[in-house]
Amino acid sequence: MDEKKTVKNGDLVLPGDYLGVIEEYLPGEGVREENGELYATRAGRVRINPEKMEIRVEPVTDIPPLPKVGDVVIGRVVEVKPQAVIVQLISIEGRENDREIATSKLAGIHISEIKDGFVEDITKEFKIGDIIRAKVIANEKSPIQLSTKGPDLGVVYALCSRCRTPLIRRGDKLICPRCGNVETRKLSSLYRKLKVSL
């Protein structure tokens, strides 16, 4: 007899996946019985009701959104490398009412996609913790590739790297109102104008 793996509550299954035997559970929604064995009829999450001894498959229609090429996303910088910045995506602009982005997606901004012109020092453009607005330019591979080229793309919220006070924009520089520290970033024209749930 071939070993059939048992499914647990919350498991993601596809149509045709083996769920168990009729002696264990009664087939609920999204489940069919075939020769005493239970199979999923749709993609979704396994829901087991121990009181009713019932197994059902809850459809996965409310899949969290995946950023598409051309989408504008809001993200937080989590790592700054010599050639790229790693960003944790927070939301897709215009779809803030949707659930969180599918999986805690990481995205990358290559040094060539930060701004038009030469980037001498990537740490003068982004720092860890910055909230950025960027455009998705490729999503086939992981991490998703972003660009901050464009006046409305770039850092929209930043904290002072010395005292962690929110920085205020003065022209093309950021100034700390508490300690007077002056910093530079690849700034968006929307700096501190977006409502971002941090």
Side-chain angles (χ1 to χ4, degrees), residues 21-171:
V21 290
I22 197 82
E23 288 81 16
E24 287 179 281
Y25 306 111
L26 295 166
E29 271 183 63
V31 178
R32 69 179 160 80
E33 183 231 339
E34 203 173 280
N35 303 326
E37 294 185 332
L38 302 173
Y39 295 93
T41 60
R42 61 184 172 204
R45 296 218 174 265
V46 173
R47 295 289 176 233
I48 296 168
N49 181 334
E51 287 86 52
K52 288 194 196 160
M53 291 310 295
E54 180 191 79
I55 189 166
R56 63 189 172 86
V57 177
E58 205 172 71
V60 192
T61 47
D62 57 344
I63 297 170
L66 270 172
K68 297 186 299 297
V69 171
D71 278 350
V72 172
V73 293
I74 303 296
R76 179 183 283 110
V77 175
V78 292
E79 197 177 340
V80 179
K81 297 177 166 184
Q83 292 294 312
V85 178
I86 307 300
V87 177
Q88 169 108 43
L89 298 180
I90 298 171
S91 65
I92 301 171
E93 207 167 90
R95 294 168 68 181
E96 287 83 359
N97 303 339
D98 286 359
R99 313 227 325 263
E100 271 80 66
I101 289 176
T103 69
S104 57
K105 272 285 183 203
L106 289 178
I109 306 171
H110 188 266
I111 193 165
S112 65
E113 286 297 334
I114 290 175
K115 65 182 184 184
D116 292 316
F118 180 70
V119 173
E120 196 172 312
D121 180 356
I122 206 164
T123 63
K124 287 189 166 63
E125 311 298 335
F126 296 106
K127 297 213 182 324
I128 290 173
D130 286 354
I131 304 298
I132 62 140
R133 184 172 184 268
K135 186 170 272 178
V136 177
I137 54 171
N139 66 353
E140 309 82 57
K141 319 192 287 296
S142 197
I144 289 170
Q145 294 302 304
L146 304 177
S147 173
T148 50
K149 287 180 176 179
D152 58 342
L153 302 176
V155 176
V156 293
Y157 184 82
L159 297 176
C160 173
S161 28
R162 283 195 198 145
C163 71
R164 309 308 290 160
T165 300
L167 294 168
I168 294 169
R169 182 172 190 166
R170 290 277 179 272

